[in-house]
Amino acid sequence: MMQLHFQKRLAAAQGAMELEIQFELQTGQCLALFGPTGSGKTSILRMIAGLMQPDGGHLSWKGETWWGNAPKTNRPPQARDCGMVFQNYALFPHLTVQQNIAAGQGPTSDPKAVDELLQLMDLSQLAHQKPGQLSGGQQQRTALARALAQKASLLLLDEPLAAQDQATRQQLQQQLRQWLKETQTTTILVSHDSQEVKALADRVLILEQGRVTADGLPAEIFPTASQSHGEYQVMALQHTHGGWVATLKSATQSLQWTTAQRPNWQIGDIIQLNTAS
Amino acid sequence: MDLQPIYLSLQLAALATGLLLLLGVPLAYLLTQTRSWIRPFFEAIINLPLVLPPTVLGFYFLVAFGNGTALGRWLQEVVGLQLLFSFQGLVLASVLYSLPFMVNPVYAALRALPDSLKEAAYVLGYSKWKTFRKVLLPNIRPALLTGSVFAFAHVLGEFGLVLMIGGNLPGETRLASIAIYDQVEVLNYAGANQYAMVLLGLSLGILLLAFTVNRKAPRVL
């Protein structure tokens, strides 16, 4: 089980932001962090991986403290049993796709497992290409395969399928879900896509300006908007210089709603909107 | 034409470049890890040879390693190392004099690499040393080549510094650049031209090779 409590002062576009988050996560679960850009999701993943230091709090995984103040503990990233897919992929440019995936395996190389991952991610034809020769989607699948090759007990996924086209994304969501369940890998997923959260996550936390505003099952947080006219789901709420921008999604379309005052909605709410006016 | 000054120049340039790779690359890496407020101090020290007349460096080299200092006497009597008017002295001086030509391109290349490369390596369990060897170094190969070529060419063309601390001892410190000076002094322009043409051809060939190889180098993402 993971026990996490982080406090961190973060620099954001609208000035400094105090991040304060606390949750427990059962082994084998997939938890999604959902929220607008700048709400602190990626920073939480980086603090779990040991790439960023919290100002206060505590982090333990399977009974072992990874970060804490009393006594002062800070496991280096190399000693934390976690894999990570970075938002910018962070592939090694001098290695081929195959070598990048094998780099995830550590000193014990298993070419058969690499081949399986190449197939799973539909990369077999590109095994000997270098990242600079790949499209964004192909690079992202390579990064995901490299993280899976690590077989870490904790997997951190930062927008892992954002660069995929719709059909590939849905196929990969199914395969990834199956892989995570078969290997019982505990996963923390950062995503902007409620569909992806519903497909992959067992639980979702909604983050706004460094705070959890909702915690529940994806189906509860994101009930499917019906086909009825004017029914929209609130996907994101973001504070900008001009006021508030809400991203709304119906069964057929998405739109952005700008208001001067913060609307009395929560992310995931289903609202009625008369778009004709 | 006596080819010994050419061989000696090539030998000096190769040795100094090898030592510069061993010394300059870790130094450039350490510089990227240095806190930003103190970094300009080290950058200024390393880059001093770019702006100082070679005679200034030569003068302090003479002062530091001559018989008049405890360091000079200790090196000569205890270690058995004679640094003035010797080939090993030329190697050390060349390394110091050409340090910015190796450190600057390597430092710039290391800083241009995205932090996420290093972070991904750490998350994959790579130690700092393994990350340096297996991730950072392979991705700055063009800069390593550029640094090596410029350092090599710079050492090949040294004159003032080597004349001051090495003198003109045939087979020991008489380099190609000094041989040109000797030939001009005795008004043998044809002899000077032969040495000059060899240096010109070598330098141009090395630079052409480096730029051609680097043109084909893949860009880091």
Side-chain angles (χ1 to χ4, degrees):
Chain A
M1 187 173 74
M2 171 181 285
Q3 290 178 307
L4 179 148
H5 178 206
F6 283 152
Q7 294 162 320
K8 177 79 178 171
R9 191 174 173 80
L10 295 170
Q14 282 86 33
M17 178 184 78
E18 292 291 343
L19 172 86
E20 169 116 37
I21 184 167
Q22 189 163 9
F23 63 80
E24 288 187 352
L25 178 62
Q26 297 301 322
T27 310
Q29 267 201 334
C30 178
L31 171 77
L33 302 177
F34 188 93
T37 306
S39 56
K41 307 180 299 292
T42 297
S43 297
I44 293 167
L45 291 195
R46 291 175 59 77
M47 285 190 279
I48 295 171
L51 301 172
M52 187 193 255
Q53 301 305 308
D55 297 332
H58 179 85
L59 172 66
S60 68
W61 171 238
K62 292 187 171 176
E64 290 176 340
T65 301
W66 282 6
W67 195 88
N69 261 333
K72 189 84 184 160
T73 311
N74 180 20
R75 273 200 184 199
Q78 294 92 336
R80 300 185 185 203
D81 180 23
C82 70
M84 185 166 179
V85 173
F86 290 73
Q87 214 171 47
N88 69 348
Y89 323 135
L91 294 172
F92 300 144
H94 62 296
L95 300 181
T96 63
V97 168
Q98 192 174 40
Q99 290 166 334
N100 262 288
I101 297 172
Q105 294 182 320
T108 51
S109 172
D110 179 1
K112 197 165 162 265
V114 173
D115 285 344
E116 281 170 11
L117 283 166
L118 282 167
Q119 276 180 8
L120 183 73
M121 295 293 153
D122 193 21
L123 292 166
S124 299
Q125 302 295 317
L126 305 167
H128 302 293
Q129 305 280 317
K130 292 199 173 166
Q133 299 165 290
L134 306 180
S135 70
Q138 290 162 344
Q139 288 183 35
Q140 194 173 44
R141 298 207 297 275
T142 309
L144 183 56
R146 182 178 69 179
L148 296 181
Q150 222 177 322
K151 290 188 176 161
S153 61
L154 178 65
L155 191 57
L156 308 172
L157 306 176
D158 197 351
E159 303 273 4
L161 304 174
Q164 308 303 320
D165 59 66
Q166 189 66 22
T168 311
R169 188 184 307 180
Q170 283 178 350
Q171 186 195 337
L172 282 174
Q173 281 168 359
Q174 281 180 2
Q175 289 170 331
L176 186 57
R177 174 81 184 171
Q178 193 183 342
W179 199 92
L180 295 176
K181 287 298 157 198
E182 278 173 10
T183 55
Q184 277 295 294
T185 305
T186 311
T187 308
I188 301 180
L189 163 78
V190 162
S191 179
H192 279 108
D193 180 358
S194 63
Q195 206 55 46
E196 188 166 288
V197 170
K198 283 201 264 190
L200 290 172
D202 302 304
R203 179 181 159 202
V204 58
L205 299 183
I206 306 294
L207 258 91
E208 282 183 76
Q209 299 200 301
R211 297 282 193 278
V212 174
T213 56
D215 178 352
L217 299 172
E220 289 170 3
I221 304 280
F222 302 114
T224 309
S226 71
Q227 295 284 345
S228 63
H229 183 69
E231 195 166 273
Y232 286 82
Q233 184 175 18
V234 181
M235 304 308 296
L237 273 173
Q238 199 149 15
H239 188 235
T240 65
H241 292 297
W244 287 83
V245 178
T247 305
L248 308 174
K249 192 175 175 187
S250 73
T252 54
Q253 64 167 331
S254 288
L255 60 88
Q256 293 207 312
W257 183 268
T258 306
T259 62
Q261 301 294 319
R262 190 190 195 286
N264 190 25
W265 304 327
Q266 298 299 320
I267 290 172
D269 283 358
I270 302 286
I271 58 163
Q272 281 291 329
L273 204 66
N274 182 3
T275 49
S277 64
Chain B
M1 180 175 67
D2 177 13
L3 288 177
Q4 197 174 46
I6 304 279
Y7 291 143
L8 206 58
S9 283
L10 289 173
Q11 204 181 341
L12 175 67
L15 252 173
T17 305
L19 288 172
L20 276 166
L21 274 170
L22 288 176
L23 179 73
V25 176
L27 199 61
Y29 176 71
L30 287 177
L31 212 53
T32 63
Q33 305 295 302
T34 309
R35 288 180 187 277
S36 57
W37 62 271
I38 201 167
R39 196 185 299 142
F41 176 76
F42 290 113
E43 285 174 321
I45 296 278
I46 289 166
N47 281 289
L48 261 179
L50 288 180
V51 292
L52 271 181
T55 44
V56 173
L57 190 63
F59 170 71
Y60 284 117
F61 200 91
L62 278 176
V63 170
F65 297 113
N67 285 333
T69 66
L71 177 64
R73 283 196 299 275
W74 179 78
L75 280 173
Q76 205 168 334
E77 289 162 16
V78 180
V79 186
L81 195 60
Q82 167 68 41
L83 288 178
L84 297 184
F85 305 104
S86 70
F87 186 72
Q88 52 265 43
L90 288 187
V91 173
L92 179 63
S94 300
V95 166
L96 293 176
Y97 188 49
S98 298
L99 200 56
F101 290 86
M102 180 63 79
V103 172
N104 287 346
V106 173
Y107 172 65
L110 285 170
R111 287 201 70 178
L113 290 178
D115 282 344
S116 58
L117 275 190
K118 211 163 44 177
E119 293 175 347
Y122 292 163
V123 172
L124 289 171
Y126 286 28
S127 65
K128 283 191 171 184
W129 171 234
K130 189 176 175 186
T131 302
F132 180 68
R133 275 187 309 121
K134 299 273 188 182
V135 179
L136 302 185
L137 277 187
N139 285 300
I140 59 161
R141 272 181 303 195
L144 292 176
L145 181 62
T146 304
S148 301
V149 164
F150 278 106
F152 189 92
H154 190 239
V155 174
L156 211 56
E158 275 174 40
F159 176 72
L161 177 69
V162 292
L163 188 66
M164 266 193 97
I165 64 164
N168 189 0
L169 305 173
E172 180 76 15
T173 62
R174 191 174 184 230
L175 304 176
S177 57
I178 292 171
I180 296 172
Y181 182 73
D182 281 350
Q183 298 299 318
V184 172
E185 265 205 319
V186 296
L187 301 178
N188 180 7
Y189 279 56
N193 188 42
Q194 285 176 331
Y195 284 116
M197 287 299 281
V198 171
L199 282 189
L200 183 72
L202 274 173
S203 302
L204 188 64
I206 291 163
L207 288 175
L208 262 175
L209 181 72
F211 285 123
T212 308
V213 172
N214 269 0
R215 190 176 58 87
K216 291 178 185 164
R219 289 180 62 189
V220 174
L221 298 172

